[in-house]
Amino acid sequence: MRKKLGLALGAGGARGVAHVGFLKAMEEEGLRPDCIAGSSMGSVIGACYASGMSADAMHAVLKELRTRDVLDIGALPVRRLGLLKWEKAYKFLGSYITAQTFEELRIPFCCVAVDIKSGRLHTFSSGELLSAVLASGTIPAVFRPVEREGGLYVDGGVLCRVPVQQVKALGADVVVAIDVLGGLRETEKVPHVFSLIARVYDIMDDARTQAERRRCRRMADLWLEPQMGELSQYKVKYYAEGYEAGYRLGKENADTMRKLLEQDG
């Protein structure tokens, strides 16, 4: 029986374009994932791909993506738990993700989000798709949380940067994990308060993720980190160098993935 290949696509904002480059390389190498799990931007890319959108089609959309396409700029009252609405992002995603439910996807897929009521990580793998994907990528305090099934959900990356355990639960025999954020990088400038907040989030995330990274690396058959230098995750911006980094990573590891799929036991 052929082994099943699972991809765990990690959180990473604008750096998530590397996932698309990686998927493009896999297509060229004849490697098709049998299941996908995503966190935050990895959830968006994973859902699009699982619904049948090609890497080339995603790449074309990302190259033309602008802030106004996905953000409702008008501020909301503080009591609404977020500065920005997510309805525009919902409509934007809906124009590319044709499946209405997880069950309609061409490739088995799940995504993670954090329920701020319980403080626990939740895995979505059935039912309505778009709200789950949106919840997985909802940056706390920036977008208002997504209400679903009695929960109040924000970005999966808060507790799970790379969903390795989740893709194994989908039935993957070989798990390839792509962490597009990697380790914390030094910075020379913190020019304004938003940069300060982002930097503090990065520091806390890196400290928390170190233990998670060690655990997940033991569970993953192949842990990969595309080298993208100082590219920011906090912009609605296309990074050609990020796409190329993911593409190179896929090409460089194609033979390794084949060998893992061919190994006995």
Side-chain angles (χ1 to χ4, degrees):
M1 183 180 294
R2 187 179 73 87
K3 288 185 175 181
K4 293 183 178 180
L5 173 61
L7 296 183
L9 303 182
R15 292 171 66 93
V17 68
H19 291 316
V20 180
F22 188 86
L23 289 167
K24 175 60 178 177
M26 288 186 64
E27 288 178 354
E28 291 182 353
E29 295 291 334
L31 292 164
R32 181 183 184 276
D34 296 287
C35 50
I36 302 171
S39 177
S40 197
M41 182 54 71
S43 174
V44 175
I45 300 300
C48 287
Y49 201 74
S51 71
M53 196 173 182
S54 69
D56 280 341
M58 285 190 282
H59 190 203
V61 171
L62 289 174
K63 285 194 291 186
E64 300 300 323
L65 185 63
R66 299 292 182 268
T67 302
R68 63 178 178 273
D69 296 327
V70 292
L71 298 185
D72 289 308
I73 302 301
L76 292 171
V78 173
R79 66 178 183 274
R80 298 299 297 274
L81 302 181
L83 296 176
L84 302 177
K85 303 176 183 178
W86 45 252
E87 282 83 353
K88 200 169 187 178
Y90 186 94
K91 291 178 181 178
F92 182 81
L93 283 177
S95 65
Y96 295 103
I97 300 176
T98 56
Q100 300 298 308
T101 67
F102 283 85
E103 290 77 10
E104 294 174 21
L105 292 169
R106 299 184 185 184
I107 300 172
F109 168 77
C110 69
C111 61
V112 293
V114 175
D115 183 355
I116 61 174
K117 289 184 176 180
S118 68
R120 296 175 181 170
L121 187 71
H122 182 83
T123 301
F124 291 104
S125 59
S126 63
E128 202 271 329
L129 177 64
L130 279 181
S131 65
V133 173
L134 196 66
S136 184
T138 294
I139 303 170
V142 177
F143 288 97
R144 67 187 188 208
V146 173
E147 297 183 52
R148 174 168 166 153
E149 300 165 3
L152 201 58
Y153 294 97
V154 297
D155 199 306
V158 170
L159 289 179
C160 178
R161 181 191 284 188
V162 185
V164 171
Q165 185 175 347
Q166 288 74 15
V167 79
K168 286 184 76 72
L170 286 179
D173 300 304
V174 174
V175 173
V176 177
I178 301 98
D179 180 7
V180 298
L181 288 176
L184 184 69
R185 293 163 292 279
E186 292 187 7
T187 185
E188 295 293 332
K189 298 179 180 179
V190 183
H192 47 68
V193 66
F194 295 109
S195 296
L196 174 62
I197 293 170
R199 184 62 180 171
V200 170
Y201 269 118
D202 285 344
I203 293 169
M204 291 190 299
D205 175 66
D206 184 70
R208 178 191 53 77
T209 301
Q210 286 182 29
E212 179 194 354
R213 190 184 292 119
R214 288 192 294 269
R215 176 179 59 83
C216 288
R217 275 179 167 160
R218 291 194 295 269
M219 296 175 64
D221 296 281
L222 189 60
W223 182 281
L224 302 174
E225 297 181 7
Q227 300 305 304
M228 292 181 279
E230 300 301 315
L231 299 189
S232 172
Q233 64 169 310
Y234 297 110
K235 296 181 179 179
V236 180
K237 181 179 180 179
Y238 167 70
Y239 291 116
E241 55 267 54
Y243 175 86
E244 292 298 331
Y247 179 80
R248 287 194 304 272
L249 196 69
K251 285 291 190 178
E252 291 166 359
N253 288 277
D255 286 341
T256 301
M257 286 187 274
R258 289 192 189 96
K259 289 176 182 177
L260 287 169
L261 291 168
E262 293 166 0
Q263 284 178 355
D264 294 328

